[in-house]
Amino acid sequence: MYTQLQLRDSARPPVTVASLGRMKEQGEKISCITCYDASYAALVDAADLDVVLVGDSLGMVIQGYDTTVPVTLNDVIYHCRAVAKGLVRPFLMADMPFMTYTSKDEALKNAVRLMQEGGAKMVKLEGGAGQAEIVEFLASHDIAVCAHLGLRPQSVHKTGGFRVQGREEAAAEQMRRDAKLLQDSGADVVLLECIPSHLGKEITAELHVPVIGIGAGPDTDGQILVLYDVLDITPGRKPRFVQNFQQGRDSPLAAIRAYGEAVKSRAYPAPEHCF
Ligand code: KIV
């Protein structure tokens, strides 16, 4: 009871939207990772990472689908509830799955379920300017929102696959405008996936909210990776931005900790992980 209040003055106060904002201001990199169950969540907590995402990547790494499209709201709630049980300090964010935010009312109803049933503190949704009204509506109900730009896995059947986004100047300019609009609409965090490093740097400098990157270069305010990529569990060819942190380490905890430290010290991402 009153856990958040009791831990506020402890040596490990829980991460909040406000503390993420302070990390950006102070130039401290934000370490983020995906997670899907309570056991790994306890390891991520012990490794002291800042943010945990129950990503719809669970459709690929847990359920074995080719894309995130088949993932349902109930799937994310199920995994989020488990992850929430393993966490004390990290900030818990959950993905809104494909087609769960097509109208303001649907988005609000489903975000509330992620928070009340899953224990999420922030919801993440994919999309550019077209989602500004939804973000504004959620923000007006005091729901913390992360806006996901760049490569948007829920749209791969429309956009033509898992490819780097924003290489052409027109697309880069559109992304810069979308990021600003989503921030101004109330997004508390922006996540950029698979874009050229220079664009990641420009958007991060332009925004006052924290920007988390995955394959978006070294200059975003924080980095996120899929847990199973960090642990080298995912079979087959990996995206360029993935680093195997399990290599040379004798436990998953050591690997997750090494990843968090590499983000904080700016050792990750290295030039070979960038576009
Ligand atoms: O679903 C997910 O895991 C994500 C990350 C790749 C950022 O959206």
Side-chain angles (χ1 to χ4, degrees), residues 34 36 53-58 68 95 124 126 148 153 191 193 214 224-226:
T34 69
Y36 316 98
L53 167 68
V54 180
D56 58 1
S57 52
L58 72 85
T68 60
D95 259 335
K124 174 164 85 59
E126 298 181 8
H148 182 152
L191 188 144
E193 177 163 357
I214 175 163
I224 186 163
L225 280 179
V226 168

Side-chain angles (χ1 to χ4, degrees), residues 37 65 86 102 130 141 186 230 233 253:
D37 70 28
Y65 292 115
T102 52
H141 288 80
V230 167
I233 291 173
L253 176 58

Side-chain angles (χ1 to χ4, degrees), residues 6 81 86 89 111 113 125 164 169 188 213:
Q6 271 145 21
R81 193 185 297 133
R89 179 182 170 272
R113 285 196 63 201
L125 50 82
V164 179
E169 183 41 37
D188 304 276

